[in-house]
Amino acid sequence: MAERRRDERGVRDVGEGAQAVGEPWRRRVRPEEAHAWDELVVTARRTVSDGLVVGTSGNVSVRVGDIVLVTPSGVPYDRLTPDDAVGVDLDSRQVLGTLLPTSELPMHLAVYRNTDARAVVHTHAVHATAVSTLVPELPSIHYMSGALGGPVRVAPYATYGTEELAENMLQALVGRSACLLQNHGTIAYGASLDQAFDRTAQLEWMCRLWLTASSVPGLSPTLLSGALVAEAGERLRGYGQRG
Ligand SMILES: [Zn+2]
């Protein structure tokens, strides 16, 4: 098995309220956490079925109170069961599960500590990652960047799983709900798993659009001004069902 579990030596089946020191992750999963975990697994599988992630190269998290549920490291999403819930607190201490959290945990926690995010989706989507190697900011090819807070920035490269990468990401996310990670991928957050997923899909789509338009020999795409993107962003905030 490629799965990595914490060293379980000495782990006893302690009951709630009887946690052994140093083994706090053995507490039971609460009903709201179990529900959120089910939704997280569905979202993680969607990232694969929609082509945003190959294998286990992305990760998904959702916040429930002060706990962050997060996909474990190196486990294919179709193998995740309700018993595999992994949870950490905002200080990165594992409180639920025996599987190791994703190695990209510093990025997820940095988002939760610094924004009102309830969910985060990180992928290595191919078009977005391609764009991250070409420009410092996704050119304003479409007004939908207004839905992400404005032109999407590219966070400078740093090794995956490091605090440096998390810091670069935070800088790129100022005023935005998504960014690209240079030579790496995407990260997006939202008020729900569906919103974080949809923002990721929109970002990948815009990157694909720009690459497509840019690939016509002898022509280059027209771009939108910052003012036009901001105007669209304002309208998008009021978009949807009324009443
Ligand atoms: Zn990654």
Side-chain angles (χ1 to χ4, degrees):
M1 297 285 281
E3 297 171 14
R4 291 191 289 147
R5 288 181 187 270
R6 282 187 180 273
D7 186 341
E8 291 179 291
R9 278 176 305 170
V11 171
R12 300 179 300 282
D13 187 22
V14 294
E16 204 159 18
Q19 295 159 1
V21 173
E23 299 164 1
W25 57 86
R26 296 296 290 174
R27 88 160 163 77
R28 290 189 186 124
V29 177
R30 296 177 180 130
E32 64 271 27
E33 293 165 343
H35 178 68
W37 177 256
D38 289 344
E39 290 186 336
L40 178 149
V41 171
V42 168
T43 303
R45 289 175 181 164
R46 269 183 83 195
T47 63
V48 177
S49 62
D50 284 19
L52 298 168
V53 163
V54 175
T56 61
S57 63
N59 31 76
V60 176
S61 66
V62 62
R63 181 171 180 172
V64 183
D66 287 331
I67 299 301
V68 175
L69 300 173
V70 62
T71 44
S73 181
V75 184
Y77 301 143
D78 57 4
R79 277 208 243 141
L80 289 177
T81 73
D83 294 330
D84 290 328
V86 174
V88 299
D89 65 19
L90 292 175
D91 293 321
S92 198
R93 284 186 292 260
Q94 189 161 359
V95 295
L96 293 172
T98 54
L99 292 167
L100 281 178
T102 170
S103 53
E104 295 291 13
L105 191 59
M107 280 202 299
H108 289 259
L109 292 182
V111 173
Y112 292 114
R113 287 192 203 111
N114 291 279
T115 73
D116 57 358
R118 308 306 295 183
V120 175
V121 172
H122 164 58
T123 78
H124 298 174
V126 65
H127 300 94
T129 307
V131 169
S132 82
T133 68
L134 298 170
V135 288
E137 183 177 278
L138 173 64
S140 294
I141 187 78
H142 198 278
Y143 69 81
M144 280 304 289
S145 59
L148 303 177
V152 177
R153 306 184 191 102
V154 181
Y157 184 82
T159 303
Y160 82 94
T162 61
E163 293 293 340
E164 183 186 4
L165 177 58
E167 180 56 36
N168 292 352
M169 172 207 70
L170 279 181
Q171 297 295 323
L173 279 178
V174 171
R176 307 284 186 270
S177 56
C179 72
L180 299 175
L181 308 166
Q182 186 197 327
N183 294 79
H184 185 159
T186 69
I187 195 155
Y189 68 87
S192 65
L193 282 161
D194 279 348
Q195 190 175 49
F197 177 91
D198 288 342
R199 285 173 170 169
T200 303
Q202 287 290 348
L203 176 54
E204 166 66 358
W205 174 81
M206 275 192 291
C207 288
R208 186 178 179 191
L209 175 64
W210 181 68
L211 290 171
T212 304
S214 302
S215 66
V216 179
L219 296 173
S220 56
T222 54
L223 299 174
L224 300 174
S225 68
L228 288 174
V229 171
E231 186 182 333
E234 283 297 316
R235 288 179 73 89
L236 286 163
R237 267 186 280 284
Y239 174 80
Q241 302 294 317
R242 293 176 194 276

